[in-house]
Amino acid sequence: MSFAHDHTSEPEQQQEKPKRAARWYAVQVASGCEKRVKNNLEQRIQTLDVADRILQIQIPKTPTVKVRKDGSRQQGEEKVFPGYVLVKMIMDDDAWLVVKNTPNVINFVGSEQRRAYGRGRGHVKPLPLSPSEVERIFRQAEQPEPVVKIDMEIGDKILVLSGPFKDFEGEVVEVSSERNKLRALLSIFGRDTPVELEFNQVEKQN
């Protein structure tokens, strides 16, 4: 009797679904509502008892330093992906609905599934971010050196604060924000010479 019992229970154990791994998904939200969506979703997770499936909500940010016209520096943060919130979750119907029905959520990022009949755009099948995408996003958010946002443009007069051209004055001819550098014409030995400078090496002159 006990043998028969063991024999019948074995297939049942094999049929148990293995627990799916949690993955990161990108969720598009209304502009400027990232923090509100994060707070609302965190409350809904507890109320609707899905904390075992929706594990983390992140708004990746990177530190920035804005250089004002007077040369002063303002520390701040900038969203890596404005208009998106990242959610680490084990995707099932209930967890999907909790996220999708959160106020100011537009949709998951994924592939659009077209309807077989009738009109309308169908629905979006959420696609998880790849491990390399996740690593790149969070590495960008955790970078120790803040990105310098400079309030300068071509034609502005500058004073060099440090480096081999300290105390030279010049005029900006090119601004490269992604490289945190600018090119300026400095009067060296009576001639205008183009020199590449870091944003933090210069101060804007009034």
Side-chain angles (χ1 to χ4, degrees):
M1 191 71 127
S2 62
F3 173 77
H5 174 75
D6 290 342
H7 183 71
T8 54
S9 65
E10 195 173 72
E12 289 170 12
Q13 290 171 352
Q14 289 177 348
Q15 285 172 8
E16 284 182 13
K17 287 185 179 178
K19 190 171 181 183
R20 284 184 291 174
R23 301 288 299 272
W24 283 100
Y25 294 84
V27 178
Q28 187 181 6
V29 304
S31 179
C33 293
E34 297 91 350
K35 192 172 181 181
R36 197 178 309 164
V37 167
K38 183 177 187 288
N39 292 341
N40 284 342
L41 190 47
E42 284 170 345
Q43 290 176 356
R44 285 165 63 84
I45 288 166
Q46 300 305 320
T47 306
L48 301 171
D49 196 27
V50 289
D52 60 329
R53 281 161 284 172
I54 302 177
L55 309 177
Q56 259 183 290
I57 304 145
Q58 293 283 351
I59 305 168
K61 294 179 181 179
T62 187
T64 61
V65 176
K66 185 168 184 180
V67 182
R68 293 174 173 157
K69 290 185 179 182
D70 62 2
S72 64
R73 284 160 163 72
Q74 181 183 16
Q75 301 278 347
E77 286 185 321
E78 189 173 87
K79 299 179 189 79
V80 177
F81 292 112
Y84 292 89
V85 171
L86 301 187
V87 182
K88 187 176 187 179
M89 60 190 289
I90 299 168
M91 183 65 71
D92 65 12
D93 289 347
D94 290 341
W96 176 84
L97 271 175
V98 169
V99 176
K100 184 74 171 64
N101 290 338
T102 299
N104 298 303
V105 165
I106 296 171
N107 217 332
F108 280 90
V109 173
S111 61
E112 187 177 328
Q113 308 290 303
R114 298 197 175 277
R115 294 162 79 111
Y117 54 87
R119 291 189 298 175
R121 297 182 59 193
H123 70 280
V124 171
K125 179 185 178 183
L127 290 179
L129 300 173
S130 70
S132 60
E133 282 178 309
V134 173
E135 184 186 355
R136 179 174 55 82
I137 290 166
F138 286 107
R139 189 171 60 236
Q140 190 175 350
E142 290 167 4
Q143 60 183 359
E145 287 297 317
V147 176
V148 178
K149 298 290 180 183
I150 196 159
D151 185 18
M152 286 195 195
E153 53 191 38
I154 294 169
D156 286 342
K157 305 292 182 188
I158 55 135
L159 172 68
V160 182
L161 303 175
S162 63
F165 302 105
K166 186 176 185 297
D167 296 330
F168 277 73
E169 294 185 350
E171 181 178 316
V172 177
V173 293
E174 184 183 332
V175 179
S176 181
S177 297
E178 65 279 0
R179 295 172 56 230
N180 290 345
K181 291 185 178 182
L182 58 81
R183 191 178 290 275
L185 285 179
L186 305 183
S187 182
I188 302 173
F189 304 127
R191 294 179 59 185
D192 283 343
T193 306
V195 175
E196 191 171 75
L197 299 159
E198 304 276 349
F199 284 172
N200 58 11
Q201 286 184 290
V202 303
E203 178 181 86
K204 189 170 179 177
Q205 302 290 92
N206 293 330

